[in-house]
Amino acid sequence: MPTPPPTGPLVTRDTLATQLRALGVEPGETLLMHSSLSSLGWVCGGAVAVVQGLLDTLGPDGTLVVPTQTGSLSDPALWANPPVPEAWWDTIRATMPAFDPLVTPSRGVGVIPETVRTWPGALRSAHPQTSFAAVGPRAAEIIEGHAPDCRLGEHSPLARLEHLHARVLLLGAGYDTCTSFHLAEYRIPAPRVKVGRPGPAGWEVVTEVSIDSDRFDELGHDFERDRPVVRGQVGAADVRLFPVAEAVAYAERWLAVHRSREEEV
């Protein structure tokens, strides 16, 4: 059987930049992007063309930031997709390579963030599970100092992005991916959890704020209803654009009312 033709529209580096500008992305701004390459259509050049188009839009004074998370660097006892036999757990904990910002690939965030991570001049934060990568003149200011016991809180790039009046770009991605909402979890009463991971000296366990994206789609729906969110399309992808600070402030109030969470151990 012949291979069916690709599903459009055809998206190029230039059409992507043109549509982002029409949406309101501005030269020189700082942008935190969550993305889905497949949602765009048929992209000539794939993820590389997408990053090129974004950098063209932001210009030499703009900074692009993406999550480069590594959720696989975690306790195998918690793995579910797929689980591994309990008999393997101790060996996995003893032999799992520690996080290295230069070589550890991102996982679960898509091919575009992984392309940004390896982009010439990109910098990556040091948290072993919830790092961010950035390209642009403000990259170091955003990325440096990501505390090892602060996944997505006050000592993470999210707080710096808020301070710098950055905006969030959801490029074919839903509100369930919006890491800015997690910063709000650090500002309301929240349970603490023990988090296991490989460290430079072997397996380590740290105490962290419990983070949970459950109901973020519902939170995003209400945020979009109550606050000005720029909506549009790039290629075939639905796109949303809004300030980090507004998302965090709204989530603080919303989570305090809508989420009841028991203390975890």
Side-chain angles (χ1 to χ4, degrees), residues 157-222:
L158 289 176
R160 295 185 181 88
L161 288 164
E162 179 189 41
H163 178 72
L164 292 172
H165 308 291
R167 290 197 288 176
V168 176
L169 176 68
L170 299 181
L171 184 65
Y175 282 103
D176 60 316
T177 69
C178 182
T179 50
S180 297
F181 289 157
H182 286 298
L183 180 55
E185 293 182 296
Y186 284 74
R187 296 179 176 172
I188 62 174
R192 301 295 192 270
V193 292
K194 300 292 185 182
V195 178
R197 66 197 187 196
W203 191 256
E204 61 185 22
V205 178
V206 298
T207 300
E208 254 283 11
V209 169
S210 175
I211 56 176
D212 185 356
S213 58
D214 183 46
R215 300 187 71 183
F216 274 13
D217 277 337
E218 184 182 348
L219 165 56
H221 174 273
D222 289 355

Side-chain angles (χ1 to χ4, degrees), residues 84-117:
V84 294
E86 185 173 352
W88 296 5
W89 293 355
D90 287 343
T91 301
I92 290 171
R93 292 177 184 129
T95 61
M96 186 184 294
F99 176 73
D100 184 333
L102 295 178
V103 302
T104 304
S106 58
R107 183 173 177 181
V109 289
V111 65
I112 296 174
E114 180 64 4
T115 302
V116 174
R117 181 187 76 81

Side-chain angles (χ1 to χ4, degrees), residues 16 30 44 69 114 142 161 180 195 208 212 234-235 246 258:
L16 188 139
T30 299
C44 181
Q69 298 172 2
E114 180 64 4
I142 293 164
L161 288 164
S180 297
V195 178
E208 254 283 11
D212 185 356
V234 172
E246 288 192 15
H258 291 86

Side-chain angles (χ1 to χ4, degrees), residues 8-131:
L10 170 62
V11 178
T12 70
R13 170 180 179 172
D14 289 342
T15 60
L16 188 139
T18 298
Q19 291 172 351
L20 286 169
R21 292 187 188 106
L23 188 72
V25 176
E26 300 175 354
E29 75 169 305
T30 299
L31 210 57
L32 170 61
M33 180 181 66
H34 302 278
S35 58
S36 165
L37 179 63
S38 63
S39 72
L40 288 164
W42 195 87
V43 182
C44 181
V48 170
V50 173
V51 176
Q52 289 173 331
L54 281 155
L55 295 178
D56 290 345
T57 308
L58 293 171
D61 296 325
T63 300
L64 176 64
V65 186
V66 295
T68 51
Q69 298 172 2
T70 47
S72 57
L73 301 187
S74 57
D75 193 336
L78 304 177
W79 294 353
N81 292 309
V84 294
E86 185 173 352
W88 296 5
W89 293 355
D90 287 343
T91 301
I92 290 171
R93 292 177 184 129
T95 61
M96 186 184 294
F99 176 73
D100 184 333
L102 295 178
V103 302
T104 304
S106 58
R107 183 173 177 181
V109 289
V111 65
I112 296 174
E114 180 64 4
T115 302
V116 174
R117 181 187 76 81
T118 60
W119 204 260
L123 300 177
R124 188 184 193 185
S125 69
H127 195 282
Q129 293 170 321
T130 56
S131 64

